[in-house]
Amino acid sequence: MSTESLPILTSADFASDQDIRWCPGCGDYSILAQMKKVLPTLGIPREKTVFISGIGCSSRFPYYMNTYGMHSIHGRAPGFATGLKITNPDLSVWVITGDGDGLSIGGNHLMHAIRRNLDLNIILFNNRIYGLTKGQYSPTSPLGKITKSSPMGSIDNPLHPLSIAIGCEGAFVARSIDMNIKHLGQMLKRAAEHRGTSFVEVYQNCNVFNDGAYSWATSRETKADSTIVLEHGKPLIFGKDRNKGIRLNGMEPEVVELGKGVTEDDLLFHDEKSPEPSLAYLLSRMRHPEFPEPIGVFRAVDHPRYDDELNRQVETAREKQGQGDLNKLFHSGETWSVSS
Amino acid sequence: MSTTTEGTSGSAKQVFTIEGATVRLAGDSGDGMQLAGTQFTNTSALAGNDIATFPDYPAEIRAPRGTLAGVSGFQLHFSSDDIFTPGDKLNALVAMNPAALKTNLADLEPNGILIVNVDAFDKKGLSLAHYDENPLETDELDGYNLIKVNMTTLTREAVKDLGLNTRVADRCRNFFAMGLLYWLYGRSTDVTLRFIDAKFGAKPDVAEANRRTLLAGRNYGETTEALPSSYHIDAAKLTPGTYRNMTGNQALAWGVMAAAECSGKELFLGSYPITPASDILHELSKFKNFGVRTFQAEDEIAAVTSAIGASFGGAMAITTSSGPGIALKGEAMGLAMILELPLLIINIQRGGPSTGLPTKTEQSDLLQAMFGRNGECPIPIISASSPADCFDTAIEAWRIAVRFMTPVIILSDGYIANGAEPWRIPDVSDLPKIEITHPTGDDADTFHPYSRDEHLARPWAIPGTPGLMHRIGGLEKQDITGDVCYDPDNHQHMTDLRAKKVANIANDIPLQDVNGPEKGDLLVLGWGGTFGACTTAVERCRAEGLSVAHAHLRYLNPFPANLAELMGRYNKVLIPELNMGQLRFLIRATFLVDAAGLNKVKGKPFAVSEIADEIKRLLA
C-alpha cells in the first residue's frame, strides 16, 4: 500500500485560468462556486473528472473548471458523455446542460441517457428562457410568457424536467435552487456519490432575460411557504411556522394545516428509495402556486448501469472465448488454399 | 473443350469446360434467394473460382407475396480467370415465380439457361405478376433454353415422410434450386451440407428436409433429360495463399478491428441501424472478446457524438451509417474536425436524396463528404474499390486519422458492401503497425492542447492523465493554447492551419498509379465501387487496340500529389460515376481539366459494356 496520501485539494484548485464571461449576477456563478466546493470533498483527482456540456450559457461551465472538459454541440452532451464513460469507466463524468439545450434540441438524448442509467451526473440549469440567444421562450417557460419570440404570450405548454426524468425511470432525481447554496452543495454531492445517472434540476435565475422567475422560491418572505424540502423518511412539512404539510387524498396531494385534527402521521412521508417511481412523479407535479415546490432528492434507487453491463459483457466474452485472436478469426469458417 | 462423364445415376452426360458463368437466382423476398446465393458463392469460392456477386433486394422486408415489388435477386459471377464484376449478362437465370421471371428476363443472354418453377405459374401467380397469358405457354421464351421444373411438387415429394407442414416444406425450395445449379456447374454439395448442419442443427427435421431437398435438386439435374450437359470451371489462378469469401461490410468490420490491433487500441463503435450499413454493427457486436464495444445509439447524432466522446477518451472510435445518417451527423463531424480528434466516419452510400433507394447502390455522397458541413471544414476522404479492398481501406483510414489527428471519412457503397469476392487472408503480423503516442503529464508544467508536431497534428492527451487537464470545444481556439479566442487574425490562422494539415496528407499517401499505357488517348478515372467495371472495360478496349488507361482513386481528399500531371499525359479523361458528375465537378474545379463524364443513377452498378461503349464513342 502506498504511504503517499492524496493531496488535499481546495475549491481554488478546481478553478481554471479562464475569465468567466457570464453576466454579473447570473445564477450560474453560484452553481460554479458550489461545484468547486463539492469536488474537493469527493476524493476524486482532478484529472479523473470531466465536464461535458452542450451549447448555451450554462454550457460554458467546463471552461471554468480545471479538469478535463468538452464544450460540445447543442443538445448532444449526453452522447459525448456516453461514449467517454463506456470507454473510460473510471472517470467521473458530469454533463452540464440547460432547459433549452437539454429539453428542446437535446430532449431525445437526455431521455435516453437517463433510462440507460450510465454512471453520469447531469446538472440541468433551468432558467426558463433562452439566454445566449437573447431572450426567447424555452420549453420550460410558463404559458403566457411574453418574450422576444412570443410578444402575445407563449402558447407552448411547458415541459417539467423532473417529470420527464422520473418518466424515464431515472434512478437518481433531485432539485435545488441556485440561491440556496447549502442545499445546492448537498444535492451536487449526493449526485456525485450516487452510482448511475444522477439528474439534478437547478432553478437558476437569469437576471438579464428572465429576472425573478423563481423569486417566490428564493425571497426571504415567500420561500418557506412556496418550497418544501424533501427528506427521506420524514413527513412533508413546510411553511414559515412549519405548520403545513402535504397529505394524500386518494391519488391527489393536498395542502393541510397541522393541528385541527391533522397530525404529522397523517402526512405523506417521503421515501426516496421506493422502487415504484409513482410517488416521486406525483411530487414532481406539485407546482407553484398551487403547491409548495419540492426541493431535494425525489428518487435514489439502485438500477443496473449501462456502462457496467457493457463492460461486464466484454469481460464475460473474454472469460468464455479467451482474448480475441485475429489470425484465428480470419481463418475460421470456410477457407481454401491456392498453391503456386 | 468437352469431356464425357458418368453420372451417379448411370446416365451419361456431357461435361463442358467453360471459363466461367454468370448466374442469377430470383424469387420472392421470402424465398431465401439471398441465402441460396450466398451458399452458391461460398461453394464456388471453395472450388477455387474467382467470384464477384451482386445481391439485389427490395427495401420492403416482405412485400406482398408474388408481386413484382417483392422480387429479390442474387447474381453470382464465377470464373477460372481474374474477374472484377458480377457480369453484365446472365448465362443462367432461375426464376422461382412469374414476378421474378418478368423483372429479370431482360438480363438473360439469348439462348441462356432459364430454369423456372412451373408450380408457381398458376393463375394467382401470373396475375400478381401482371401476366395476361402464361409465358410458359406462349412463344415469349422461345429464344431461351427453357427448363421447366415442378420445384414445389418435387420439394414436397422429397420431404413428404418428415411430417412437416406444407409451409415449412415449401421453404426448402431454395435448396432444390441450389442443388440443381450445383449439378449444372459441377459444384460439390459439401459446403452447403455443412452449413445446414450448423444452421439448422437445433431443428433436426428442418435440417433433414433441407438436406434432402438439396440432394433432390442435384439428382434431378443428373436425371432430367431437359439438361443434357453440365459445366466445369477450373480453379482460378489466384495469388498463392489462403482465401476466404468476404463481403465489403464484413471486410470493413474486420479491417477496423485489425486497425485497432495494429495501433494498440480497443475499438468503440457508435451506430444507429440504417441500410446498407447495419451489417457492420451486427458484425462488430459479435467481438466483445476483442474488446470491441458497440453502442446502438438513440439516433445518428448520438452515434457520432458517442464516438467523439470515446475518441476524446483515447479509444479507437468509429461511426457507421449511410447518406441520410451522415447528413444528421454533419454538425458533430464539424466539431470532431475543429477538436482535431481521430475518428472514422464510414458511409455505405445508397440511392438518394432523402430516403431515396435504401437497398440500391449509388456514389452520390461524394460532395456531401467533401462539403456537407458548415464553415471551412475539410475532412480527408478515402474510398474502397471492392469488397476485399474495404479491409485495407479501413486500416489506411485509421493510420491517417491518428497521424494527422483528424476525422476521416470512408466511402463505400451498397454494391461493394453486400457484394462478395475472395479475400487473401493476411498474416496479422504483416499488417502495418500504426504508432500512437499520448503525452504524459510528468514533465509538463503547462500543457498546450493545440501545439503541433511535424504533421501539424496536435497532442492526443487523454482524460485521466495527471497534469494535462484541458478543455476543448467547438468555439474557435487560440493557436497553441486552445483557449477560446475570437481574434480575427487567429481565426484566419487556425482555418489556414487546419486546411494545410489536411492538404499535407497528399505528401503522406502513395502517388496515383495507373493500369495501362503511361500516356495515350484516354484515361478512365474512377473511384470507389466502379473499380471492377472500369478495370474490365479498359482491359477489353485495350485488347481491341485502343490507347486507354485506368486510374482508380482511393484518396479523394486530398487527391494524390501527381494527379494533375498524370491526367495531363492523356488526350482525354473520362470519369464514370454512379452519380450525376460529382468527382468530375471536383476534378474540373481543382485542376481545370475538361473531363467527360459517364453518369447514371439507376440503383445498379455499371455494366462493363456501358463503360466500354463510352470509351469507344470518345475515341471514335
Side-chain angles (χ1 to χ4, degrees), chain A residues 67 311 318 330 332 336, chain B residues 194 243-244 266 293 465 471:
Chain A
T67 61
N311 286 303
R318 279 179 167 145
F330 292 172
S332 64
W336 70 97
Chain B
R194 282 201 295 273
Y243 285 79
R244 64 179 302 130
E266 289 196 339
R293 288 165 179 81
T465 315
R471 278 66 54 194

Side-chain angles (χ1 to χ4, degrees), chain A residues 68, chain B residues 312-314 341 405 438-439 447 449 458-463 465 468 470:
Chain A
Y68 284 91
Chain B
F312 181 47
L341 283 172
M405 287 293 282
H438 297 289
F447 175 62
R458 73 177 194 88
W460 190 6
I462 303 176
T465 315
L468 302 185
H470 65 283

Side-chain angles (χ1 to χ4, degrees), chain A residues 338, chain B residues 44 47-50 79-81 187 232-238:
Chain A
V338 175
Chain B
S44 301
N49 298 149
D50 197 2
S79 175
S80 56
D81 204 1
R187 315 265 96 146
H232 170 80
I233 296 94
D234 282 331
K237 286 165 200 65
L238 301 174

Side-chain angles (χ1 to χ4, degrees), chain B residues 172-200:
Chain B
C172 300
R173 274 181 308 212
N174 56 342
F175 282 88
F176 190 96
M178 258 186 267
L180 184 50
L181 288 173
Y182 285 7
W183 176 81
L184 186 61
Y185 292 104
R187 315 265 96 146
S188 155
T189 50
D190 291 355
V191 174
T192 301
L193 289 173
R194 282 201 295 273
F195 164 80
I196 290 171
D197 283 346
K199 171 109 183 170
F200 302 104

Side-chain angles (χ1 to χ4, degrees), chain A residues 3-294:
Chain A
T3 52
E4 228 175 307
S5 59
L6 282 171
I8 309 269
L9 297 175
T10 67
S11 171
D13 293 312
F14 282 90
S16 78
D17 58 356
Q18 298 297 296
D19 296 333
I20 300 177
R21 297 189 191 176
W22 287 317
C23 308
C26 176
D28 291 357
Y29 283 97
S30 157
I31 306 173
L32 180 66
Q34 288 314 306
M35 187 66 82
K36 285 192 221 161
K37 221 177 203 173
V38 165
L39 291 184
T41 70
L42 300 175
I44 300 169
R46 283 178 304 178
E47 66 270 15
K48 296 263 187 198
T49 304
V50 186
F51 283 89
I52 296 187
S53 63
I55 295 293
C57 293
S58 59
S59 287
R60 298 298 177 96
F61 196 96
Y63 288 123
Y64 308 138
M65 300 296 301
N66 187 15
T67 61
Y68 284 91
M70 187 196 287
H71 176 219
S72 75
I73 49 175
H74 205 9
R76 321 300 178 191
F80 297 94
T82 298
L84 178 65
K85 183 68 183 176
I86 287 171
T87 49
N88 293 268
D90 59 337
L91 295 178
S92 169
V93 181
W94 295 76
V95 170
I96 305 295
T97 185
D99 41 319
D101 188 64
L103 292 170
S104 204
I105 192 166
N108 190 32
H109 308 299
L110 186 71
M111 170 172 90
H112 289 282
I114 292 171
R115 60 115 179 165
R116 285 193 189 104
N117 197 37
L118 284 98
D119 190 13
L120 304 174
N121 309 311
I122 304 177
I123 314 299
L124 186 144
F125 299 12
N126 185 2
N127 58 13
R128 296 191 172 163
I129 200 79
Y130 281 113
L132 200 61
T133 50
K134 303 191 175 177
Q136 302 82 8
Y137 64 92
S138 90
T140 56
S141 297
L143 282 172
K145 179 78 183 170
I146 291 182
T147 72
K148 278 187 188 152
S149 56
S150 57
M152 294 174 70
S154 168
I155 52 173
D156 246 10
N157 193 34
L159 285 173
H160 299 278
L162 294 195
S163 293
I164 291 185
I166 295 162
C168 298
E169 307 200 0
F172 182 96
V173 178
R175 178 191 284 148
S176 194
I177 302 172
D178 56 1
M179 298 277 280
N180 195 341
I181 55 174
K182 195 172 156 207
H183 185 264
L184 175 61
Q186 288 166 356
M187 290 304 106
L188 294 177
K189 191 167 166 67
R190 286 223 34 205
E193 286 166 353
H194 176 82
R195 295 205 59 218
T197 297
S198 307
F199 181 80
V200 182
E201 176 190 24
V202 182
Y203 285 171
Q204 175 245 323
N205 191 43
C206 172
N207 57 320
V208 174
F209 294 108
N210 199 17
D211 196 25
Y214 299 109
S215 56
W216 48 269
T218 54
S219 86
R220 197 182 293 268
E221 297 74 45
T222 56
K223 67 179 178 187
D225 287 307
S226 58
T227 60
I228 185 165
V229 180
L230 300 175
E231 290 177 274
H232 181 60
K234 302 237 174 103
L236 271 69
I237 298 176
F238 69 105
K240 211 177 277 178
D241 305 320
R242 309 266 317 150
N243 63 342
K244 289 186 274 187
I246 300 295
R247 182 172 70 181
L248 268 193
N249 180 5
M251 295 287 283
E252 309 284 333
E254 61 181 6
V255 175
V256 291
E257 259 185 65
L258 287 167
K260 298 174 186 165
V262 179
T263 71
E264 284 193 10
D265 286 346
D266 297 323
L267 299 181
L268 176 60
F269 278 65
H270 183 49
D271 178 11
E272 65 184 34
K273 301 197 183 313
S274 169
E276 268 302 310
S278 310
L279 268 180
Y281 183 74
L282 180 145
L283 294 174
S284 79
R285 292 188 46 79
M286 285 173 43
R287 286 168 199 153
H288 180 77
E290 291 77 16
F291 288 99
E293 292 206 5

